[in-house]
């Protein structure tokens, strides 16, 4: 069964450093999402892509976060510089355009020291 | 804006007990409703969904009915197992983002 792949699974960094997360969606899924899940809370959308275009990045802290999906397939989320409050699980999800069900990857757990 | 409210956890049950996790929502349109489950250290897995009022979603013994009149989508299971221990998230959405509740942790002991 096809799955959303994410790497790394765990990342420990010091504040002010740069970090990057990678996501490979299920093949054929044109829509890709990045969510942030703070411990004890539900996931919240950071950015949504349709192919290579950003559909919604209204909740992305653009002073330090950036996301790209250059060829409309895999995607990278970057944080520079990382802050203590960025410690969270970063989840990638994908879906077929025009359908509702999103499929989630295993997530990258980030700890900023 | 749209929002989801779930009952606070943790919910602690004995094996074979009946489970209910309450979920209510506020939405301007007619969203689809979802239950996702998250096992320790893992991402979210879709458990079930319902796309319109009075629809019942079901999977692995879990059920939830989309109640428009009470704006609710409560999750139920007749007999829980230890392996059901996880965090359960109610969510609403459609063709764009999902809006999640805070999650309810379920612990089932033998």
């Amino acid at each position: 069964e096809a799955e959303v792949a994410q790497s790394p699974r765990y990342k420990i960094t010091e504040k002010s450093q740069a970090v990057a997360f990678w996501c490979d969606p299920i093949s054929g899924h044109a829509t890709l999402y990045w969510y942030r899940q703070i411990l004890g809370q539900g996931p919240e959308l950071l950015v949504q892509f349709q192919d290579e275009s950003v559909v919604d990045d209204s909740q992305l802290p653009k002073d330090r976060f950036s996301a790209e999906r250059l060829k409309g397939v895999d995607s990278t989320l970057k944080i520079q510089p990382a802050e203590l409050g960025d410690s969270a699980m970063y989840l990638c999800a994908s879906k077929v355009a025009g359908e509702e069900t999103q499929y989630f990857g295993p997530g990258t757990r980030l700890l900023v020291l | 804006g749209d929002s989801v409210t779930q009952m606070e956890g943790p919910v602690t049950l004995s094996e074979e007990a009946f489970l209910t996790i309450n979920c209510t929502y506020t939405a301007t349109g007619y969203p689809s409703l979802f239950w996702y489950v998250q096992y320790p250290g893992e991402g979210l897995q879709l458990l079930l969904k319902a796309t319109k009022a009075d629809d019942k979603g079901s999977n692995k013994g879990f059920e939830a009915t989309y109640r428009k009149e009470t704006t609710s989508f409560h999750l139920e299971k007749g007999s829980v197992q230890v392996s059901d221990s996880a965090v359960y998230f109610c969510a609403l959405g459609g063709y764009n983002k999902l809006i999640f509740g805070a999650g309810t942790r379920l612990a089932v002991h033998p």
Side-chain angles (χ1 to χ4, degrees):
Chain A
E1 183 175 314
E3 296 180 341
V4 176
Q6 289 188 247
S7 66
R9 292 292 307 275
Y10 304 93
K11 179 70 177 178
I12 300 174
T13 191
E14 293 184 348
K15 64 178 182 178
S16 79
Q17 296 299 303
V19 292
F21 313 133
W22 177 79
C23 172
D24 191 13
I26 294 172
S27 178
H29 284 197
T31 309
L32 184 147
Y33 304 85
W34 285 100
Y35 289 88
R36 178 169 60 184
Q37 184 182 15
I38 296 170
L39 190 64
Q41 299 181 20
E44 293 185 337
L45 181 73
L46 290 173
V47 61
Q48 176 185 347
F49 288 93
Q50 181 65 31
D51 298 309
E52 67 276 9
S53 300
V54 173
V55 173
D56 183 355
D57 64 355
S58 57
Q59 299 304 308
L60 187 72
K62 298 182 187 66
D63 57 334
R64 298 185 300 107
F65 285 65
S66 64
E68 60 183 18
R69 193 183 184 200
L70 293 176
K71 297 183 179 180
V73 181
D74 58 337
S75 176
T76 302
L77 179 70
K78 297 179 181 177
I79 308 175
Q80 182 173 18
E83 295 181 353
L84 296 179
D86 296 331
S87 295
M89 174 82 90
Y90 291 82
L91 294 164
C92 180
S94 70
K95 73 176 183 72
V96 175
E99 296 188 0
E100 294 184 321
T101 300
Q102 298 182 23
Y103 298 87
F104 284 79
T108 295
R109 185 170 295 281
L110 173 66
L111 178 61
V112 182
L113 302 176
Chain B
D2 294 358
S3 65
V4 174
T5 302
Q6 289 182 235
M7 64 186 288
E8 288 192 20
V11 174
T12 304
L13 296 172
S14 298
E15 204 165 25
E16 299 184 0
F18 184 86
L19 168 71
T20 299
I21 299 178
N22 290 338
C23 170
T24 58
Y25 67 90
T26 301
T28 52
Y30 301 95
S32 294
L33 299 174
F34 304 81
W35 277 101
Y36 279 83
V37 58
Q38 186 174 36
Y39 297 100
E42 299 184 10
L44 277 69
Q45 300 176 23
L46 178 66
L47 183 58
L48 55 83
K49 70 176 187 180
T51 58
K52 61 183 186 296
D54 300 325
D55 267 3
K56 177 186 284 188
S58 61
N59 185 27
K60 299 181 182 179
F62 291 89
E63 293 183 342
T65 301
Y66 191 161
R67 301 287 188 198
K68 185 167 177 288
E69 63 277 11
T70 54
T71 61
S72 65
F73 192 55
H74 304 322
L75 182 68
E76 296 182 336
K77 186 176 186 183
S79 175
V80 294
Q81 305 300 312
V82 172
S83 58
D84 293 327
S85 298
V87 180
Y88 292 81
F89 291 94
C90 183
L92 65 83
Y95 297 103
N96 291 310
K97 69 180 179 183
L98 290 173
I99 295 173
F100 288 88
T104 302
R105 180 174 300 278
L106 170 66
V108 181
H109 56 84

